[in-house]
Amino acid sequence: MAIDVRNPSPEYRAFWSEYHLCTLTTLRPDGTPHVVPVGVTYDHEQGLARVITRGGSRKVANVLAAGEAGARVAVCQLERGKWATLEGVARVRTEPDLIADAVERYAERYGRTPAPNPERVLIEITLNRAMGNA
């Protein structure tokens, strides 16, 4: 079911605020999918999803390989029969204030603050599609 990225139902927003591990799907340079578990935060007001990660990770390399236009990606979560997917264009962000904000959002959703990591970057996804039955 299609959902308005910036105006989802209260139930959809609630599902994205609960503790759920997610997957991030990026494309490798050869076009094959790379799917990994991640923590994701969803900001419907700004139309963004955020993933914090290590700068040297394969997912970051895949996003960077797409160039300045960004990489098409999807994040998904599920619990039993409920599921939700967000799709959009990802870019790697290195600005300390954006990373700090993403860490705070992660801590709020997942109930713990990640250990400091000088290699941390932000994969920021500008959303253009949301689906699910949550």
Side-chain angles (χ1 to χ4, degrees):
M1 174 168 94
I3 294 160
D4 183 343
V5 168
R6 289 187 172 254
N7 191 26
S9 70
E11 295 81 13
Y12 195 81
R13 286 193 316 265
F15 190 53
W16 278 102
S17 68
E18 298 165 359
Y19 186 107
H20 297 288
L21 292 180
C22 305
T23 60
L24 168 67
T25 302
T26 61
L27 296 178
R28 295 180 183 99
D30 68 2
T32 59
H34 178 256
V35 183
V36 293
V38 294
V40 175
T41 60
Y42 172 35
D43 179 350
H44 71 279
E45 292 174 346
Q46 292 187 37
L48 297 173
R50 297 174 178 91
V51 175
I52 53 175
T53 189
R54 185 178 53 83
S57 69
R58 167 51 40 196
K59 57 189 161 287
V60 167
N62 290 343
V63 172
L64 291 173
E68 196 172 302
R72 297 284 310 156
V73 302
V75 291
C76 183
Q77 65 179 16
L78 65 103
E79 178 187 40
R80 298 185 181 171
K82 288 172 47 174
W83 63 275
T85 298
L86 300 169
E87 296 179 8
V89 176
R91 291 176 181 81
V92 175
R93 306 294 301 261
T94 59
E95 299 94 320
D97 60 326
L98 295 180
I99 294 169
D101 177 62
V103 168
E104 286 179 30
R105 291 170 187 273
Y106 177 97
E108 183 177 324
R109 179 173 189 196
Y110 291 102
R112 69 172 193 86
T113 301
N117 181 349
E119 295 181 32
R120 181 170 289 133
V121 298
L122 166 63
I123 297 176
E124 183 180 77
I125 307 164
T126 302
L127 302 171
N128 54 29
R129 182 178 294 160
M131 301 173 284
N133 68 353

